Amino acid sequence: MTASTDTATGQDVLLEVRDLKTHFPVRHGLFGRTVGAVKAVDGVSFTLGVGKTLGVVGESGCGKTTTGRTILRLIPATSGSVRFAGRDVFGLSHAELRRLRRDMQIIFQDPYGSLNPRMTVGGIVGEPLQVHGVARGRERERRVADLLDRVGLARSAVNRYPHEFSGGQRQRIGIARALALNPRFIVCDEPVSALDVSIQAQILNLLEGLQEELGLAYLFIAHDLAVVSHISDDVAVMYLGRVVEKAPSGILYRNPLHPYTKCLMSAIPKERPDQARERIVPRGEVPSAMRPPAGCPFHPRCPWAFEPCDRVVPQLAPMPDAPGHAVSCHLYHKPEGGQTEHPGASRPIIGGTPQGEGEESA
């Protein structure tokens, strides 16, 4: 399988996701009548280049993890398409999907719950090799030992059980298992969120080293923007099942545009306690994914919302003066697709209101 080429950037595209939707039916009553659906993922589109990292960030419940698992066909999609190295993932037969599993793997969030406590480390890391008929016997043992070396664990760990290791060591075991079949693409589902800060840095450095060595592409899911900025080439910000902003990592962190992105950025702790801090707090609560609001999904919480926001869904559109930067917001794009000069577009949100119209920044 070969990757296609993005005509806009000239980069080889390994993964292409188009209008992906994953809705979970809500059933009620004795006969299980469908009364609605939770729109966990509601029209997500992006591309991922060979050897690149796309960070996906957002609050809990925004659809990040569901997006990753739907791409891998661990969760059935409602509609949309996913193409991996030019192949339609959703159109593959069971046998074809089994072969594709070698190229697409996942690192789970919980290093405690994702490892079978009844299996040794050698059994956990070597199981994919045996299931896919890649290696058995002495060859399997040799490959497992090499994988443990690669992730920074002693070869003597093969006969030990998961409960004998720390959280960071368990996550290294999970990474070794994901690497066993020499994949090209790995979904990293919040791989450091359950770890101490010092251990997080070690795991991130390990993932970066493996990417450089093996040419891996990552879909890196997290809720911590500081972590995502360290490892990602591009960042997609999700809210209520949709991507509301996407840009190269450096551009997004220097110049966030969407009000929701600004809220997330303001929550990143400052490096020095004496640095001025402007905390941007959205008003209200996150709406239900079963009954999302009409128009822009963020408009009930956005103090810059104006007339079209409550009835017209903004599309993720590129900014004409910022290559690679796209935002889904009427502050920057009229419903027809033109530019708008809304007075709030250049002012930060402070305390739930635009600066100058409410509380002063602290």
Side-chain angles (χ1 to χ4, degrees):
M1 291 185 293
T2 59
S4 60
T5 301
D6 188 332
T7 55
T9 63
Q11 295 181 345
D12 289 336
V13 175
L14 182 65
L15 180 71
E16 184 178 8
V17 178
R18 286 286 174 263
D19 198 26
L20 183 65
K21 295 182 181 181
T22 305
H23 298 173
F24 298 103
V26 177
R27 305 185 189 280
H28 181 73
L30 181 63
F31 298 102
R33 182 171 58 91
T34 300
V35 295
V38 175
K39 299 178 180 180
V41 180
D42 198 25
V44 168
S45 300
F46 60 81
T47 59
L48 177 62
V50 175
K52 300 295 183 179
T53 300
L54 174 65
V56 181
V57 299
E59 295 171 293
S60 295
C62 72
K64 326 183 280 294
T65 293
T66 303
T67 298
R69 297 192 180 196
T70 303
I71 290 170
L72 298 177
R73 274 185 62 175
L74 299 178
I75 296 175
T78 301
S79 64
S81 67
V82 173
R83 300 189 70 84
F84 180 83
R87 299 189 68 184
D88 179 8
V89 174
F90 296 159
L92 297 178
S93 66
H94 180 76
E96 292 171 327
L97 180 62
R98 182 184 176 89
R99 288 192 290 271
L100 187 65
R101 295 287 187 213
R102 298 189 185 188
D103 285 328
M104 304 171 71
Q105 289 291 313
I106 184 170
I107 300 169
F108 294 98
Q109 174 181 354
D110 184 4
Y112 296 88
S114 62
L115 303 179
N116 189 334
R118 298 173 180 267
M119 295 178 68
T120 64
V121 170
I124 291 170
V125 177
E127 185 177 30
L129 298 171
Q130 184 168 339
V131 168
H132 287 266
V134 175
R136 299 181 185 276
R138 293 290 180 87
E139 176 62 15
R140 176 173 172 265
E141 293 175 3
R142 183 189 67 79
R143 290 204 182 194
V144 168
D146 289 343
L147 287 165
L148 294 180
D149 278 342
R150 178 163 278 170
V151 299
L153 292 173
R155 295 190 173 208
S156 59
V158 292
N159 295 317
R160 296 167 63 188
Y161 289 86
H163 73 269
E164 300 179 61
F165 296 89
S166 67
Q169 290 172 324
R170 291 188 196 200
Q171 198 58 292
R172 290 176 186 268
I173 296 169
I175 294 171
R177 176 176 61 185
L179 294 174
L181 298 174
N182 297 318
R184 301 169 64 188
F185 166 66
I186 298 179
V187 173
C188 303
D189 184 10
E190 302 204 40
V192 298
S193 64
L195 307 177
D196 294 337
V197 174
S198 60
I199 306 302
Q200 286 183 6
Q202 295 176 20
I203 298 299
L204 289 174
N205 290 336
L206 172 63
L207 290 172
E208 285 187 314
L210 291 169
Q211 182 176 45
E212 184 176 351
E213 178 186 354
L214 303 174
L216 298 169
Y218 294 143
L219 184 70
F220 193 92
I221 297 166
H223 60 267
D224 188 337
L225 274 82
V227 169
V228 171
S229 68
H230 179 78
I231 196 171
S232 301
D233 298 293
D234 297 286
V235 178
V237 180
M238 287 190 67
Y239 182 79
L240 215 61
R242 294 174 176 268
V243 174
V244 297
E245 188 167 3
K246 183 178 180 296
S249 179
I251 293 176
L252 186 76
Y253 282 78
R254 286 194 305 270
N255 184 34
L257 297 179
H258 198 281
Y260 178 63
T261 308
K262 293 179 180 181
C263 295
L264 295 179
M265 292 291 184
S266 74
I268 300 176
K270 299 294 184 182
E271 295 180 1
R272 291 166 39 201
D274 59 341
Q275 285 181 305
R277 174 174 177 159
E278 292 181 338
R279 183 70 175 93
I280 302 172
V281 182
R283 59 193 181 191
E285 300 293 332
V286 180
S288 168
M290 184 177 173
R291 298 180 182 86
C296 173
F298 191 61
H299 90 264
R301 308 178 68 194
C302 178
W304 289 343
F306 60 114
E307 193 275 331
C309 297
D310 61 351
R311 58 181 179 81
V312 181
V313 179
Q315 300 303 309
L316 187 68
M319 295 297 293
D321 56 347
H325 198 164
V327 63
S328 172
C329 183
H330 293 313
L331 292 174
Y332 307 97
H333 306 287
K334 289 181 180 178
E336 301 84 0
Q339 201 73 8
T340 183
E341 295 294 336
H342 186 272
S346 62
R347 290 184 290 168
I349 309 168
I350 305 297
T353 59
Q355 188 176 7
E357 298 181 9
E359 300 177 5
E360 296 182 356
S361 61

